[in-house]
Amino acid sequence: MSARTAVVMGGGIAGLSAALLLARQGFTVTVLERDAAPPEELADIWDWNRPGAPQMRQLHTFLGLFRRDLLTHLPDVYEDLLANGVEDIAVGTPSGSGGGDPDLAVLASRRPTVEWALHRALLKEPDVQLRYGTSVRRAEVSGGRVRGVQVRGGLVETDVLIDAAGRRSPLRDDFTVLEQEVECGVVYNTRFFRLRDGAARPALQRGITTMVAGIGFGAGLFYHDNRTFAIGLGRLPDDDALKALRDTDAFDRVTRLFPEFAPWLAEEVSEPLTEVVPMAGLRNTLRSLAPQAPAGYFVLGDALCTTDPAFGRGASVAMHQAVQLTQAFAQAPDEAPGLAGQVTEEVLRWVRPLFEDSVQADIGRTKLWEAALTGVDLPLGPGSPAANAFTLMEAGEHDPVLWETAQRCANLLAPLETLDTPETRERLRLLRSSGWRPAVPTGPSHAEVAGAAAGTLQLQAR
Ligand SMILES: Cc1cc2nc3c(=O)[nH]c(=O)nc-3n(C[C@H](O)[C@H](O)[C@H](O)COP(=O)(O)OP(=O)(O)OC[C@H]3O[C@@H](n4cnc5c(N)ncnc54)[C@H](O)[C@@H]3O)c2cc1C
């Protein structure tokens, strides 16, 4: 067995990116994916049966880091995405002009479209074997090293095993330790739509999104590829009044409450593509390698760390980890199995602050939303650095330096510490002393949203 052979377990964003990068580094790669192959034609993408990655039917944004990694390491995939209806949208500046930083742009794409393009690229690689409908059951280890994985039909031998099987990886209890797990405190409900032929695309607020500032609930519209878009409504898991949002009629009544969405939802502008798809049980989880993890076992993507989708980081983090892995391999390809500890440590150094930030922001948001439900008026505090990124973005409407700082952090192009420097503090202080304050949400109250969900509120876009 040569160390230039790798088995990738899981064909999601992490696994497909790692497989492609490794193949181009000279590895012979086998991808083992439990779900079926994607359809040949992108037009058939919603027919793809994908129980292994149910989040495929949830709204997604692909941040600046994801785009920069594609452009730098997989430019053919970037080109293929653009040739197939994905749009590259500059984050821009509050004044409406393009910003000075060319990295400040995001990709408007559905998640399965990205996977479809990664699959297409892999199919062109001569040393890649893609085995769909193949579930990994366990790993074979001897002498402290990975020897292969067991699937129906026998052993697939390898001494480099990439575990990219997502948050429910069957190897997580064998080879990783759960360091921390904190509920996100939000249930998402998403419905996809398509702009009708000939209809002009309504304006977007920032990048690919238009967000509604709600207290006690969240609402966002994300633009995707091929003139599709999705609306997501978030609620607290225990919020019985908003449980009805999983029902399409209730969902539609609530979305019509928000004037921000009205230009998109007009009958002559768009039509629904899907029913509402709920997603619950989401957690921030951080794992590390267990002491008994064998040489040759590498863990990436959601299998290592998940963060609240509200920040749209998962896919960017997954692909960037694949980049980090292959960069480490490039230094010593024949020593790859021995690099597991070093690579995981490096990945965790980068990911841990993002995880902690997500946890803190979730705790802050949950308090705020729970207060809205119980009628307590909670002051809007600065919260975590992520909350600061949103505050800075608002402040950035008046200060282009703050705008760019906030956008670079939100797009994972700069570390979160850069949100809180003497310069940003001084700029915020100056703005505050000129009378500026973060905006207070003025949209529908939680009670109005609950009334619309129940069908007891007369609807009028405000
Ligand atoms: C509601 C929601 C919204 C989100 N929005 C965003 C967003 O806007 N932006 C963003 O970047 N991220 C977002 N994410 C997160 C993002 O989708 C994931 O973080 C990212 O896709 C992680 O990819 P992955 O490859 O690690 O895992 P997954 O995508 O979960 O892929 C794991 C793969 O492994 C396969 N598998 C599992 N077990 C086995 C096995 N035993 N054998 C073989 N194969 C197996 C599965 O079928 C699947 O294909 C969102 C997530 C949710 C839930």
Side-chain angles (χ1 to χ4, degrees), residues 24 125-126 139 150 154 205 208 216 257 259-260 335 344 356 369 382 388 391 397 422 443 453:
R24 291 177 180 180
E125 294 294 329
Q150 288 291 349
Q205 203 181 60
I208 66 150
L257 273 184
E260 293 88 341
E335 310 299 323
T344 313
E356 284 164 2
W369 284 13
N388 279 339
T391 308
E397 309 267 345

Side-chain angles (χ1 to χ4, degrees), residues 10-14 32-35 50 52 55 58-61 111 134-136 164-166 170 279 282 301-302 309 312-316:
I13 306 275
L32 305 172
E33 166 54 47
R34 51 159 275 181
D35 285 349
R50 195 86 174 84
Q55 69 270 39
Q58 296 292 328
L59 69 190
H60 270 67
T61 174
R111 181 195 139 116
T134 307
S135 267
V136 171
M279 189 127 190
L282 297 170
D302 279 9
R313 291 172 176 160
S316 304

Side-chain angles (χ1 to χ4, degrees), residues 104 392 400-410 414 418-420 424:
L104 280 181
L392 282 200
V401 174
L402 291 182
W403 171 261
E404 190 164 322
T405 304
Q407 284 291 354
R408 286 189 64 78
C409 284
T418 55
L419 290 174
D420 188 22
T424 56

Side-chain angles (χ1 to χ4, degrees), residues 75-95:
D76 55 317
V77 178
Y78 171 84
E79 292 301 338
D80 197 32
L81 284 169
L82 261 52
N84 281 284
V86 169
E87 291 179 47
D88 187 336
I89 297 187
V91 168
T93 60
S95 63

Side-chain angles (χ1 to χ4, degrees), residues 3 13 42 113 158 168 217-218 236 267 323 361 368 391 410 418 424 432 437:
I13 306 275
L42 183 56
T113 306
T158 186
R168 294 203 183 82
F217 64 89
L236 285 166
E267 179 63 30
V323 168
L368 199 63
T391 308
T418 55
T424 56
R432 285 209 164 97
R437 294 289 178 276

